[in-house]
Amino acid sequence: MKSFNLLMNFFSVIDSFLFSFHPKLNFHKLWNYFFRALIFASGIFILCDPIFTNWPFWSFNEPYITGIYFWELPLQKVLFFVYIPFSMNVNFNAFI
C-alpha cells in the first residue's frame, strides 16, 4: 500500500514519456527548455509546501506514502511537481 501513490505517479507519466518521442511531436527535443522552466516553477512550490504541511488542515496519508522525504515533503509530492507539468506539456503539444 505504501507504493500505491508512487506507482500511480509512474503510470501517469510513462505514456507521456513514450509519447514525447513521437515523430510528429518531438517533445524530447524541448526537454532542455522544459526542465529549466520546471526547476524554477517547481522550486517555488517545493519551498512553500513544507510551510503548509505544518498547518493542521494540510497533511499526507501515511499509508499511501513510501516514507522517503525531501525537505519535509514525501517523495510522491515532489514527483507530482515533475510528472503533472511534463504530462500536461506533452499532451498539450499533441493537440497543436
Side-chain angles (χ1 to χ4, degrees):
M1 197 66 150
K2 290 206 172 269
S3 61
F4 175 76
N5 199 319
L6 195 57
L7 287 171
M8 193 171 64
N9 289 350
F10 174 75
F11 287 115
S12 297
V13 77
I14 191 67
D15 63 334
S16 297
F17 174 76
L18 295 174
F19 199 51
S20 69
F21 293 99
H22 191 279
K24 289 186 179 180
L25 289 181
N26 288 323
F27 186 71
H28 66 282
K29 293 180 179 179
L30 302 174
W31 282 359
N32 183 28
Y33 304 108
F34 170 76
F35 284 112
R36 280 196 261 164
L38 180 75
I39 289 169
F40 175 74
S42 296
I44 294 169
F45 289 104
I46 289 172
L47 291 174
C48 292
D49 263 15
I51 296 168
F52 298 130
T53 57
N54 291 325
W55 293 354
F57 57 86
W58 188 290
S59 65
F60 302 104
N61 293 333
E62 293 296 325
Y64 296 101
I65 58 175
T66 59
I68 302 170
Y69 288 86
F70 295 100
W71 301 290
E72 299 180 23
L73 294 176
L75 173 65
Q76 291 90 335
K77 181 66 172 180
V78 175
L79 290 177
F80 175 83
F81 293 123
V82 176
Y83 82 82
I84 289 295
F86 180 77
S87 296
M88 293 304 296
N89 275 294
V90 171
N91 293 328
F92 177 74
N93 285 329
F95 292 105
I96 292 180

